[in-house]
Amino acid sequence: MNFPASQELIDELGVYILHYDRAGYGQSDPNPKRSLKSEAHDIEELADQLQIGSKFHVIGVSMGSYATWSCLNYIPNRLAGVAMIAPTINYEWPSLPKSLVKDDYRKRVIKLAMWLARYFPRLLHWWVRQKWLPSNSVIEKNPAFFNKRDIEILERIPGFPMLTKDKLRHQVVFDTLRGDWMIAFGNWEFDPMKLSNPFPQNNRSSVHIWQGYEDKVVPSQIQRFISEKLPWIQYHEVVDGGHLIVHYSGLGEAILKALLLGEEDISYKPRSLKSVS
C-alpha cells in the first residue's frame, strides 16, 4: 500500500517514507520463529542498515499495528513518534474489562480461528479454499464488515488480494497469514495498557491512534477505552469512518501534520461518550 499523503506535503515536511515487507510478505523471507519482539527488532535493524538515524517515526495500519505496539515496548528509545490507524485489538489483553468484550461476536470468531490455526492448520487451510465460501468480492460488499464509506473505497482499490482463494491455495501464503494471526491474537509477552509514556519529556505525546467510529472490524469503544487508560495517547476519530479510514481523502495529511507538527484537526476530535471501567 502507499501512504495517502500528497507529494506536495511530503516535500514541504521533508518526509522520507519507507514501506517494507514484513516477514513472509512480498520479497521478505518467512520467519518461522517470528514474535512480537522480532517484529520490533526487524524494524530497528532495517533502520540501522539504511542509516535512517537514531530515531524515527513508525506508522502501523490495522494488522500491522501489532508491530507498532511491539516497538513501543521493545525499542521505545528509537522512536520519535508513533501513529496507529485502526489498530488490531487482541481480546486476550488482560487489562480489557470483561464487561467491554463479553458480548463481542468478534472475540468468539477470533477464538475459534485461533483454535483451528493452532491445532488443526491443515483443516483450516482446506476450509478457507472451499468454493462455497463467499468470495472476496462478496465479503467486500458486505455491510456486516464494512460501512458505506469503506464499500465505496473498496470499489476503487485492490482490496485484500492475499485473501483470495487463488492466493490461499499456496502454502507459503497461508503459512504467512496464519503466523501473523497467531502472533497478533495469541498471548503477548506484555500488556499494552501497562506501557509507560515513551516521551515523558514532551508537553504533548507523540503517540496517536486514529479510528473510525463506525469500524465493524475493530470496535471504536475498545480504542476509546485504551486511550482513556493510556492518557498519553492522542485519540482521533472519524465520525463516519469504517475500518479503511487510511484510504479516506485528507486523512493521510492530517496524520502527518499531527505526528510531525503537533497540529490537531478538530474535525477528528472524538465525540463524548460514557467511559467504560
Side-chain angles (χ1 to χ4, degrees):
M1 64 175 294
N2 293 316
F3 189 77
S6 68
Q7 190 61 47
E8 181 181 1
L9 179 63
I10 290 173
D11 292 341
E12 178 186 337
L13 297 177
V15 177
Y16 174 72
I17 296 180
L18 169 66
H19 297 268
Y20 76 102
D21 296 328
R22 295 192 298 119
Y25 291 97
Q27 298 183 43
S28 291
D29 294 333
N31 178 8
K33 297 182 179 180
R34 78 187 306 163
S35 65
L36 286 166
K37 184 179 288 188
S38 74
E39 292 285 339
H41 288 167
D42 282 350
I43 292 172
E44 183 176 38
E45 183 178 352
L46 180 61
D48 290 341
Q49 291 291 329
L50 296 178
Q51 299 181 349
I52 288 176
S54 61
K55 290 185 179 292
F56 44 83
H57 295 80
V58 176
I59 299 176
V61 182
S62 189
M63 186 76 118
S65 291
Y66 84 76
T68 313
W69 279 115
S70 185
C71 288
L72 285 167
N73 184 67
Y74 291 112
I75 58 169
N77 58 305
R78 300 299 305 273
L79 301 177
V82 169
M84 290 179 276
I85 306 165
T88 297
I89 295 296
N90 186 323
Y91 287 91
E92 299 303 315
W93 289 344
S95 294
L96 285 180
K98 292 181 180 179
S99 61
L100 185 62
V101 301
K102 66 177 181 178
D103 296 324
D104 193 331
Y105 75 93
R106 286 159 287 226
K107 179 181 179 181
R108 296 189 292 273
V109 171
I110 290 172
K111 188 174 182 178
L112 174 60
M114 283 290 291
W115 182 76
L116 289 171
R118 180 176 288 114
Y119 297 111
F120 300 100
R122 290 184 181 180
L123 175 62
L124 181 60
H125 192 196
W126 170 84
W127 183 67
V128 297
R129 291 176 289 158
Q130 296 310 296
K131 293 181 179 180
W132 48 265
L133 283 175
S135 65
N136 256 26
S137 59
V138 172
I139 293 173
E140 290 169 1
K141 296 177 182 177
N142 192 331
F145 303 106
F146 301 104
N147 76 340
K148 181 180 178 181
R149 289 191 70 181
D150 282 353
I151 292 174
E152 291 173 353
I153 290 292
L154 285 166
E155 293 175 353
R156 306 198 308 266
I157 67 172
F160 306 95
M162 281 192 75
L163 298 179
T164 63
K165 292 184 177 67
D166 286 339
K167 286 288 187 180
L168 288 170
R169 287 190 179 94
H170 299 285
Q171 189 69 45
V172 65
V173 173
F174 173 78
D175 288 344
T176 292
L177 292 170
R178 173 178 173 267
D180 221 8
W181 184 277
M182 297 284 285
I183 299 300
F185 299 109
N187 292 323
W188 286 28
E189 302 104 24
F190 64 93
D191 184 347
M193 277 161 283
K194 300 293 184 183
L195 292 176
S196 300
N197 183 1
F199 310 104
Q201 69 280 4
N202 297 352
N203 291 330
R204 295 195 65 176
S205 173
S206 297
V207 181
H208 303 256
I209 287 179
W210 295 79
Q211 175 70 26
Y213 180 72
E214 297 179 359
D215 192 330
K216 299 183 180 184
V217 179
V218 182
S220 58
Q221 62 265 33
I222 296 182
Q223 304 286 23
R224 286 181 173 224
F225 173 81
I226 292 170
S227 64
E228 289 175 2
K229 287 296 181 182
L230 299 174
W232 44 268
I233 290 181
Q234 296 189 56
Y235 180 70
H236 315 266
E237 199 168 79
V238 183
V239 175
D240 59 346
H243 191 63
L244 302 180
I245 56 173
V246 69
H247 297 285
Y248 292 7
S249 177
L251 194 77
E253 285 86 352
I255 291 170
L256 287 182
K257 288 180 179 179
L259 186 61
L260 302 176
L261 303 177
E263 295 183 5
E264 182 177 2
D265 188 328
I266 60 171
S267 62
Y268 298 119
K269 188 174 181 180
R271 298 178 296 182
S272 60
L273 193 70
K274 185 178 180 181
S275 299
V276 178
S277 57

